[in-house]
Every structure is written in structure tokens, then in C-alpha cells.
Amino acid sequence: MSDPNSQLDAQGKLKHFLTIEGLNRGLLTEILDYAEGFLGVARQAVKKVPLCRGRVVANLFFENSTRTRTTFELAAKRLSADVLNLNISTSATAKGETLLDTLRNLEAMQVDMFVVRHAQSGAAHFIAAHAAPHVSVINAGDGRHAHPTQAMLDMFTIRRHKGDFSRLRVAIVGDILHSRVARSQMLALKALGVPDVRVIAPRTLMPAQVEEAFGVSAYHDLREGVRDADVVIMLRIQHERMNSALLPSEHEYFQLFGLTEKRLATARPDAIVMHPGPINRGVEMDSQVADGPRSVILEQVSNGIAVRMAVMSMCLGAQNLHTQGQGEFNG
Amino acid sequence: MTNVSVKKATIWKDTPDIDAAMVRMADELVALLARRGIADPLMIGIHTGGVWIAERLHARLGLGEPLGCLDISFYRDDFSRIGMHPEVKPSRLPVSVDDRHLILVDDVMHSGRTIRAALNVLFDYGRPASVILATLAERGGRELPIAPDVVGLHAHLEGDEEIRLTGPEPLRMMRGQIPGKPALKGADTGPDHSSNLDPVQDHP
């Protein structure tokens, strides 16, 4: 993987948003603070601000995702940017065009930002490394590696409910081994100063040395893992894992790791339950929890728009500084 | 060429002067509202200094509706030059602005760009019946055809002098070369950085 700090420019501003790795608490807090401001845009009659008027954002989704793509699209539109949605898997590359040729063509259309979702880890870094210098890249999920905007919208949701990160106990439950969401969440939670981060998974879905690598505690028992937790984050179980040898069956997974009101009883009474969606009801959690009073799952979706607006506008804003620094602007 | 004589910022108007100016502003607002036959205006302050002034005017006028506050960061006209502005505060308009008479309050009237941005924000929230502009102070340097209806203090500045409100307690108007201001023409478009204290921050 390339140097994670390559996402910052010479002034330490966010130029790309590829991973949480290497970003300090100050910068992550800045993202959350901006998102707080953008949350209000949804309350306006005209749900739009003119900040990124005239900018062009291309959504490059090599892997399907309705929610992530839609919220990125809405975020860009609420910033008044123009949006291109390219379903790459069914377009140019299928005709034999290389990825770099596709990029060059989009750059020739004066695209200012690529939002990239790809099944391959490192894809967003690769594109950032090969894109024209004035173009920003946002990672909307790459393989098992990172999903930084998802992690930040989760941090934003946690901060809105719990305020201070420094006294929290956060449990992440599910397929920690394959989850880019879990990786980004662990990095963000630690960077923001959460003292007790727990990951809960069957042994087959827990990365080796996760405790040493991320500074978290590993649990294999759900009830024990969520004890006194302030936040319980459930991860989506991919169906393809069921078909591999890693999990016995959906039913058996639910018996051991599915969240129910009863199993949630050991968490703090004011604990919130999160899920990046889409939920497999009856696998990761039952409907009573998903639709219950402690669930903030739909709030995560709304918050995702504000957080993506924050990240996109910060990157596009840093581009301006760059252009100015190069003397192409005469004030 | 750069100015070699660096003048430090000094107090231009101290708290009693500002209090007196706000009393005059409140009286003028009452008279203006009466002339226009407006009974129940909504008052809206612009972050950050405008909110400090608006809170006091709101109390003095005894307005029934809660005070609104606007952040104009996302409507600034210098994003394409300087990028995101630090310290964005959430806008909060507790009551719909549709068909309402508004009193928009800011601390310093300079280029007019802040007010241009604030009007754009307001019109994205709805369609007010009218907008009255009240500013604690005004100075030269207008760049847009915008003028306040009610003004508390008039500053006659030399060269690159600036004025800036510091607060919220005590409220003081500083004058001179003020460090930390973006070196841009029409640079009054930003919220005040002199204090992190936000009396109306909407944080859960």
C-alpha cells in the first residue's frame, strides 16, 4: 500500500480521503465539526449550499453499492457539484479500455473528484497515485482495506449521541477478518481517543493479532463482549462467507452472534446500536433490535450525507489552495 | 509595498460605548418597526459577533420568538480561493422565515459580502416578507450595493486598519491591524476567530 500520508497536501490539508490511517485526532475532529454544519442543510427548504458549484464529481463504482453511491451522489448535489455516475463494471472496462485510459478520459472532461468503490484493496490509492495532480480521490470502500467515510459517519453518529469519546466502550461485532468497515472504525475510534474498543467475532472471522495491531480487545462471546458497552456496532455478514467454510450457517451464526434484546441486556441501558446496512434481519440482529429504541441505523444514513459533504468539500477546498499556491490565481 | 509600521490593535470602543450603541440601535429598530407597521419580527444574528449583538438586542426588544442564528460559511464567495473556512457553526432558524419580517444582525459592515451570503442562506430557508439589516458598526469599503438600516457606530479608518468585535464577555471593539485575519479584499466575510466561545452552539 502506498504511503497513507499521501492523502494530505503540503499544508497538511486533506487532498484525498483514502484511509483513516495516518490521520490525527485534530483532522478527524475537523471532519466531524464540518459535518455538524452540513447537517443543517437538510433542514433548509432548498437542501443545497453553493459551496462546490461548478465542480464535477465522478462516482466510479467498480463494485455495486446502492446506499453508498446514493449518499455520495446526494452529498455532491447538496454541495451544488455536478455528478457523473459511472457503473464501470458494465461500461468501459468491459469493452477493454484500461482503468488508466478511463481516468484520462474523465480528466479530459474536467472532473475534479473521483469517488471510488472497488473490490480490490488499494484501488483508491492506485487511482490517487495516477490521477492528475488537480484531482481528488475519495475511497468509498476498497476490498478488505478501508471504508473511511463509513467509519467517519459512524464516529459522527457516536459523537452526536455520546458527546465525549474519551470515556466510551465500543463493541464491534461480526466479520472482523474481512471487514473494511471494521478496520476503518478501529483506527478512527483509537485516533479519537476511545479507551475501550472491543471486537467480537467467531474465531474463523477474527484476524490474527488484531489486539496488537489495533489496540483493541478480542472477544469470542457476544454477551461478554457487549457488557457495559456504550455503543454496539453490528457488521454485515456477507452471504458468500456462508458458502465458504468460515461460517456454519446463518441460523447458527444468529444463535451465537446475533443481537437480540436479551443479549443486549448486559450493555449499558443507554447503549446505541449501529449497523452500516443493509441489515440481514435474523442474521446479525433480530428486528426487535433493528427497529427498537436503541437503534440509530437510519440516523447513520442521514449522517452519512453530512459527513460525505464535509469530506468532499474539504478535499475540493484544498485543491483551491493548491491552485493558488501554484500562482494560477491572481486573486 | 507592505506597511512597515505595524500598528497594534487597540480598544476602539469599550463595553459601555457598545452598550450605549446597542440602546440607540434598539430605539431605532422600535421606531423603524413602528413606521413599517411590523408587529412580530424574527431576529437573526450572523455567527459569531452578530449573534452576540443580536442576543442583547433581542432581549432589549423583548421579542417573543426565539433568536435565530446563521452561519454563512457554506455561502462564502471565497471558497474557490481559500477553501473551507474554519469554525463552521450550525445555522439555527427555530421558526420558519416564510412571510415573516426579519431583522438580520451583524457586528461589522464592511464589503457587504457577508450580508450577500446571509441573504442567500435566508432565501434557501424560505421567502421572508422583508429583511431589515442592523449592524453594530459600519466602516468604509463597500463592494456591493448593500446598506444597513440601523447602525450603532461609524468607524473612519486609515490605510489597512480594521475593526473587530471581541467577546462575548466583555464586548469590545478593537481597532488597528488585527492578526489572524485572512489577507483578502472584502475579508469581513468570515466569522470572528477571536473567541471559541459560542453561546448558541447546537451540540448534543
Side-chain angles (χ1 to χ4, degrees):
Chain A
M1 206 117 312
S2 59
D3 176 14
N5 291 320
S6 62
Q7 56 191 340
L8 301 180
D9 67 13
Q11 289 92 35
K13 300 257 183 205
L14 207 57
K15 183 177 187 240
H16 307 294
F17 192 51
L18 307 173
T19 171
I20 302 292
E21 211 177 335
L23 300 182
N24 62 28
R25 187 180 303 184
L27 200 134
L28 298 184
T29 304
E30 203 181 324
I31 295 173
L32 300 179
D33 290 345
Y34 281 129
E36 198 73 49
F38 283 120
L39 208 53
V41 176
R43 291 194 291 267
Q44 296 178 193
V46 178
K47 294 178 187 56
K48 228 173 168 52
V49 294
L51 208 56
C52 300
R53 202 158 43 118
R55 302 307 187 85
V56 184
V57 175
N59 279 328
L60 306 184
F61 277 61
F62 298 86
E63 191 184 77
N64 280 331
S65 157
T66 311
R67 182 186 339 252
T68 303
R69 189 188 54 69
T70 316
T71 50
F72 265 111
E73 180 176 353
L74 208 47
K77 286 179 170 170
R78 285 191 182 172
L79 291 168
S80 299
D82 294 305
V83 186
L84 300 172
N85 285 313
L86 292 118
N87 198 345
I88 304 286
S89 54
T90 60
S91 66
T93 44
K95 293 182 186 168
E97 189 179 46
T98 69
L99 172 59
L100 290 180
D101 282 334
T102 307
L103 291 185
R104 294 291 165 263
N105 276 275
L106 288 167
E107 283 165 9
M109 298 175 207
Q110 285 80 39
V111 170
D112 299 293
M113 173 176 278
F114 295 133
V115 177
V116 180
R117 156 76 60 107
H118 202 291
Q120 206 83 46
S121 299
H125 282 80
F126 177 84
I127 290 175
H130 291 87
H134 65 275
V135 174
S136 291
V137 177
I138 293 187
N139 186 0
D142 63 325
R144 295 189 200 176
H145 172 240
H147 195 350
T149 59
Q150 176 70 46
M152 288 314 291
L153 78 86
D154 295 331
M155 299 307 115
F156 185 67
T157 307
I158 292 171
R159 193 177 79 167
R160 285 190 66 81
H161 282 272
K162 302 292 170 195
D164 184 8
F165 287 105
S166 71
R167 281 192 295 269
L168 291 185
R169 190 168 282 139
V170 180
I172 308 173
V173 187
D175 183 358
I176 308 294
L177 180 63
H178 299 94
S179 175
R180 57 193 173 205
V181 174
R183 285 177 54 90
S184 290
Q185 284 169 340
M186 288 188 284
L187 289 164
L189 288 166
K190 294 310 286 187
L192 287 166
V194 175
D196 189 357
V197 180
R198 302 160 170 194
V199 289
I200 307 165
R203 288 177 198 282
T204 49
L205 297 179
M206 185 73 87
Q209 275 138 25
V210 67
E211 296 191 320
E212 295 82 348
F214 291 95
V216 300
S217 336
Y219 290 77
H220 302 292
D221 180 280
L222 179 63
R223 224 178 299 226
E224 204 183 311
V226 301
R227 187 176 303 281
D228 297 324
D230 300 284
V231 179
V232 180
I233 304 175
M234 305 305 292
L235 299 172
R236 182 176 160 75
I237 293 294
Q238 310 284 341
H239 288 294
E240 54 267 34
R241 309 278 176 245
M242 303 294 171
N243 303 332
S244 69
L246 294 172
L247 275 182
S249 74
E250 291 191 355
H251 179 71
E252 202 163 321
Y253 180 84
F254 181 73
Q255 289 305 313
L256 290 170
F257 291 94
L259 196 63
T260 59
E261 284 294 344
K262 206 171 153 204
R263 289 192 183 129
L264 201 49
T266 56
R268 284 181 53 94
D270 62 347
I272 55 169
V273 175
M274 301 169 60
H275 191 295
I279 311 171
N280 293 309
R281 288 172 185 263
V283 181
E284 296 110 31
M285 61 174 77
D286 68 10
S287 288
Q288 215 188 343
V289 175
D291 307 325
R294 296 197 263 196
S295 163
V296 295
I297 295 169
L298 291 176
E299 215 179 297
Q300 288 174 266
V301 179
S302 312
N303 290 345
I305 301 171
V307 166
R308 284 168 179 139
M309 287 171 81
V311 171
M312 291 171 120
S313 58
M314 286 168 75
C315 289
L316 288 169
Q319 287 181 1
N320 302 328
L321 291 169
H322 259 257
T323 323
Q324 197 180 33
Q326 288 161 3
E328 291 172 22
F329 238 94
N330 291 320
Chain B
M1 291 312 297
T2 50
N3 192 344
V4 280
S5 66
V6 177
K7 284 166 282 182
K8 278 191 65 169
T10 53
I11 297 173
W12 174 50
K13 298 288 181 189
D14 211 338
T15 313
D17 295 327
I18 291 175
D19 287 342
M22 286 191 290
V23 170
R24 287 196 301 277
M25 290 170 74
D27 292 344
E28 283 183 44
L29 278 170
V30 168
L32 180 59
L33 292 169
R35 278 204 303 282
R36 294 198 184 174
I38 297 168
D40 55 344
L42 279 182
M43 187 172 276
I44 295 166
I46 300 176
H47 276 307
T48 302
V51 174
W52 299 335
I53 303 303
E55 281 173 334
R56 287 152 173 93
L57 288 175
H58 186 268
R60 188 156 185 94
L61 293 183
L63 299 179
E65 306 270 23
L67 179 68
C69 41
L70 277 192
D71 187 286
I72 58 132
S73 304
F74 302 142
Y75 289 74
R76 287 164 60 99
D77 60 11
D78 55 5
F79 177 75
S80 61
R81 297 189 197 183
I82 65 168
M84 286 289 270
H85 210 265
E87 295 186 38
V88 173
K89 324 264 191 215
S91 289
R92 202 170 52 186
L93 294 176
V95 182
S96 165
V97 299
D98 276 329
D99 303 319
R100 297 297 300 264
H101 295 279
L102 311 183
I103 304 172
L104 188 59
V105 182
D106 202 6
D107 48 1
V108 178
M109 179 78 189
H110 179 193
S111 67
R113 289 172 192 269
T114 300
I115 305 304
R116 192 283 306 167
L119 289 171
N120 280 18
V121 181
L122 285 176
F123 279 78
D124 279 353
Y125 275 92
R127 184 181 186 276
S130 71
V131 182
I132 289 170
L133 177 59
T135 65
L136 174 64
E138 69 94 24
R139 48 157 298 172
R142 215 74 75 239
E143 295 168 357
L144 295 172
I146 290 173
D149 299 292
V150 171
V151 179
L153 302 162
H154 299 270
H156 302 281
L157 303 177
E158 290 170 20
D160 52 2
E161 272 189 320
E162 305 270 359
I163 50 172
R164 184 199 282 188
L165 185 68
T166 62
E169 289 293 343
L171 283 180
R172 281 195 177 119
M173 192 64 94
M174 307 303 288
R175 171 179 183 160
Q177 287 183 327
I178 293 160
K181 272 219 154 186
L184 255 182
K185 205 158 183 278
D188 75 333
T189 44
D192 195 337
H193 294 181
S194 57
S195 169
N196 289 324
L197 294 169
D198 174 21
V200 285
Q201 195 160 14
D202 176 20
H203 204 275

